[in-house]
Amino acid sequence: MLLSFDFRDVLDIAIMGLLLYYLYKIMKESGTLNVFFGVLAFIVVWVFASQILEMKLIGTVLDKFMSIGLLILVILFQDQIKRFLVELGDRNKWLVVRIFHDLFRHKDKGDTKERMQQYVLPIVYACMNMSKSKTGALIVIQQSVPLDSYEKSGDMIDALINSRLIENIFFKNSPLHDGAMIIAKDRIKSAGCILPVSHDSTIPRSLGLRHRSALGISQATDAFAIVVSEETGNISVAHRGSLSTRLTSTELEHRLSAIFI
């Protein structure tokens, strides 16, 4: 059997290992890692019982569970599956595509400066002003995964990014200040939006609902979420299931520049 082991088998194992790694990474970021290990253990038992030991009764029962279970998993983890496909198709993760993209991309310093003034700086200024006045805020910036369903949970705005508009929306007496603002395609799409809340046990108890919502949307999608604490005025960022707290204006500017420029 070892003599028939060739390059195709090595490639097969490598591709399967890569897919499992991406699934593990996404499940870990979304806080459903135990489910991943549970499904993996079930598959191992199924293969061992039905394929290796050829137990007919157990194999038949597990086969029925597998056929139904796949449909249930697709329904329960549609957000994670969507993220998995987005991660798989992200050109920044493919070295050859990234090299060609960088070679043929025309870098214009004037365009970079213009995007800084139009998109990055207004958000940074608004967050710094709200931080000083301890005004709570939650800003979500869409990336590859669409946020249409979350946009519809709030009030549609569809306006240019403006620091005064951002501050007015999150003003304490504003009817939209409790929800999240969603920025997509370089525009403020909606405000007062409802986001999924993370139930990750590692989140410090000192952090409130805004931080849990920011982490929740970063686990369900690849969105970039900014939080201004109403209690402390600290600025935090959630991205890909990771929460960074106590950011300075310079750090926030660098992170936003990576998104808009």
Side-chain angles (χ1 to χ4, degrees):
M1 186 171 179
L2 290 174
L3 295 176
S4 63
F5 193 82
D6 56 13
F7 174 75
R8 288 177 299 177
D9 298 310
V10 175
L11 185 62
D12 187 20
I13 294 173
I15 293 174
M16 180 55 67
L18 185 64
L19 292 175
L20 286 175
Y21 167 74
Y22 272 112
L23 278 173
Y24 167 81
K25 183 181 176 182
I26 291 172
M27 291 297 228
K28 183 179 180 182
E29 291 175 354
S30 62
T32 55
L33 192 57
N34 290 336
V35 177
F36 173 80
F37 285 125
V39 172
L40 199 61
F42 183 84
I43 293 174
V44 170
V45 172
W46 171 65
V47 172
F48 190 76
S50 63
Q51 304 297 323
I52 298 177
L53 298 180
E54 297 183 353
M55 296 179 176
K56 294 183 179 180
L57 181 59
I58 297 177
T60 303
V61 173
L62 293 179
D63 285 341
K64 296 295 182 181
F65 271 110
M66 284 296 294
S67 59
I68 301 173
L70 288 175
L71 180 61
I72 295 174
L73 287 175
V74 170
I75 296 172
L76 290 177
F77 299 103
Q78 54 182 326
D79 289 334
Q80 284 79 8
I81 293 172
K82 187 189 297 182
R83 272 202 61 190
F84 171 73
L85 296 175
V86 170
E87 292 261 354
L88 200 62
D90 189 358
R91 68 183 182 184
N92 292 323
K93 295 187 179 296
W94 296 95
L95 181 61
V96 177
V97 177
R98 190 166 70 242
I99 290 173
F100 276 97
H101 178 262
D102 291 339
L103 283 175
F104 294 101
R105 183 179 61 183
H106 177 66
K107 295 182 179 180
D108 190 345
K109 292 183 178 180
D111 183 61
T112 300
K113 185 177 180 181
E114 182 180 351
R115 292 188 67 82
M116 280 286 291
Q117 293 176 344
Q118 287 183 350
Y119 309 120
V120 177
L121 295 182
I123 298 176
V124 174
Y125 289 153
C127 289
M128 293 308 299
N129 289 334
M130 290 187 292
S131 175
K132 292 177 182 177
S133 61
K134 292 186 179 180
T135 301
L138 175 52
I139 303 172
V140 179
I141 303 173
Q142 175 184 299
Q143 295 201 70
S144 301
V145 179
L147 303 176
D148 297 345
S149 58
Y150 301 108
E151 290 177 15
K152 294 176 182 177
S153 66
D155 293 329
M156 299 303 294
I157 296 177
D158 194 22
L160 293 173
I161 298 175
N162 183 279
S163 59
R164 290 186 178 180
L165 177 59
I166 295 174
E167 291 180 51
N168 285 332
I169 288 174
F170 289 111
F171 183 68
K172 294 180 181 179
N173 294 329
S174 169
L176 301 176
H177 81 281
D178 279 334
M181 172 189 292
I182 294 180
I183 296 177
K185 298 178 181 178
D186 301 339
R187 295 181 69 86
I188 300 175
K189 286 292 185 178
S190 58
C193 302
I194 301 172
L195 303 181
V197 178
S198 174
H199 299 285
D200 195 334
S201 59
T202 60
I203 303 175
R205 292 186 177 181
S206 58
L207 302 180
L209 184 60
R210 284 192 178 91
H211 292 83
R212 289 188 173 274
S213 298
L215 191 59
I217 193 67
S218 74
Q219 291 173 341
T221 69
D222 62 344
F224 185 92
I226 306 171
V227 182
V228 180
S229 174
E230 191 172 358
E231 288 76 22
T232 63
N234 292 331
I235 298 174
S236 305
V237 162
H239 189 219
R240 297 191 182 278
S242 178
L243 184 66
S244 303
T245 59
R246 298 178 180 273
L247 267 66
T248 65
S249 59
T250 304
E251 291 171 335
L252 179 61
E253 182 180 329
H254 287 164
R255 298 211 179 190
L256 288 174
S257 298
I259 295 175
F260 286 104
I261 300 176

